[in-house]
Amino acid sequence: MFKNVTIYRIAPGWEATLEDMEAALDAARFVPCGATQDKAVGWIEPRGEAHGPLVESVAGQRILKLQIETKGVPGSVVKKKAQEEADHIEATTGRKPGKKETKALREDALLALLPQAFARQMTVWVWIDLKNGWLVTDASSQGKLDEVVTALVRAFDGLAVTLLQTAVTPQTAMTQWLSATTPDEWPGGFAVERECELKSGDEEKSAVKFTRHNLATDEVRKHITEGKLPTRLAMSWEGRIGFTLTESLQVKKINFLEGVFDGRPDEGENGFDADVALSTGELQKLIPELIEALGGEMAFGAAADSEPSAPAPAAREAVTADADDDGPPF
């Protein structure tokens, strides 16, 4: 099951067969970091079966999995090793290394220490819905989102994506829903739950968080009147999915509620197919209704409205294959 969702719109005109996608990803298959390499990014088998397909097709949906491996050496350790070498040079030659040489010593120290560094691996799921023109990932941080988009546009010729944008910003809509005096003012099918975060836009950046708290109160509305705006809000949809909506239109902390996965088969190959089919099937219903609740989708590449809201992520601009180089959800 997806725990987070960030939705991209695929530019019209891009198509790819399973065979074409498989061949493209095979050329960028994951290879672990080399001895002096600090990061490796590549595609792995979604089912976890060695030498299996890199693209799975389940219920018409394409499922991919990106793996990111990083190796880090604490800066203090690098600095200490470089200083030891600098001290040795000074003791044996009588001269003190300059700035340029000191920088080179630190680079050499890092290369020497990397083979001993512990490798950390993380995976990111990608769901491509060609029928609806969506590219969805469970990456939650901007760094991971950038890695996913970069890897995709490098792999697939002609692919261009942009973060999905709505006519009404999530922050504006969340403000309206929290200001409502009755649930009748919430969008159909959605309910405001018991968690939210409000932040002011002034220099103090004051913030207040409500957890397990009734949000339909004068206290919450008073904070909004005083200028604090919602950055995230817990919601539910049709009693089937609980989630947290953010100001940047990310859907986080997704929880498929009781009954949604009733009858799914036991773990194994069929379990993977069932999880994909059920989770994407539910999200295919939620996403259009959420877009409608936010005033509908803006055209691909259109400029955002001028309503006051938090800055959109940098990746909101269209990304193409010519872009500058500069726990599992199922």
Side-chain angles (χ1 to χ4, degrees), residues 32-40 68-74 110-111 113-121:
C33 288
T36 58
Q37 187 179 1
D38 63 355
K39 183 166 72 171
I68 305 167
E69 181 177 274
T70 56
K71 291 198 299 184
V73 180
L110 177 59
L111 290 176
L113 291 166
L114 273 174
Q116 308 167 39
F118 178 75
R120 179 172 178 264
Q121 293 184 341

Side-chain angles (χ1 to χ4, degrees), residues 256-315:
F256 293 91
L257 304 178
E258 186 176 355
V260 173
F261 279 74
D262 285 355
R264 69 173 296 282
D266 294 335
E267 291 295 335
E269 185 171 344
N270 291 335
F272 174 87
D273 289 344
D275 283 349
V276 172
L278 289 168
S279 58
T280 58
E282 291 295 318
L283 291 171
Q284 280 180 313
K285 300 171 187 174
L286 165 65
I287 291 172
E289 294 205 15
L290 180 59
I291 293 171
E292 183 180 352
L294 296 173
E297 183 179 357
M298 296 181 68
F300 183 91
D305 63 26
S306 58
E307 294 179 81
S309 64

Side-chain angles (χ1 to χ4, degrees), residues 176-187 190 192 216-217 221:
Q176 294 170 349
W177 301 337
L178 286 171
S179 300
T181 55
T182 70
D184 293 338
E185 298 176 58
W186 298 338
F190 291 91
V192 171
T217 64
R221 288 189 284 269

Side-chain angles (χ1 to χ4, degrees), residues 198-208 226-228:
L198 304 170
K199 287 185 178 180
S200 66
D202 55 24
E203 293 181 357
E204 293 187 359
K205 303 294 182 184
S206 56
V208 58
E226 292 172 349
K228 296 186 185 72

Side-chain angles (χ1 to χ4, degrees), residues 62-104:
R62 311 278 176 88
I63 303 297
L64 296 67
K65 193 174 185 181
L66 186 72
Q67 182 154 301
I68 305 167
E69 181 177 274
T70 56
K71 291 198 299 184
V73 180
S76 59
V77 177
V78 174
K79 185 176 180 180
K80 180 181 178 182
K81 185 173 180 61
Q83 186 60 51
E84 289 172 352
E85 185 59 29
D87 292 342
H88 176 72
I89 292 173
E90 185 174 3
T92 55
T93 67
R95 67 176 181 82
K96 201 169 186 178
K99 288 185 178 180
K100 187 175 181 180
E101 188 175 3
T102 298
K103 180 180 178 182

Side-chain angles (χ1 to χ4, degrees), residues 33-55:
C33 288
T36 58
Q37 187 179 1
D38 63 355
K39 183 166 72 171
V41 180
W43 300 97
I44 61 174
E45 299 84 353
R47 290 184 189 271
E49 299 173 351
H51 311 297
L54 294 174
V55 184

Side-chain angles (χ1 to χ4, degrees), residues 134-152:
W134 298 332
L135 188 152
V136 180
T137 173
D138 74 321
S140 57
S141 69
Q142 191 59 50
K144 287 183 182 179
L145 289 169
D146 292 343
E147 291 281 8
V148 170
V149 172
T150 298
L152 286 164

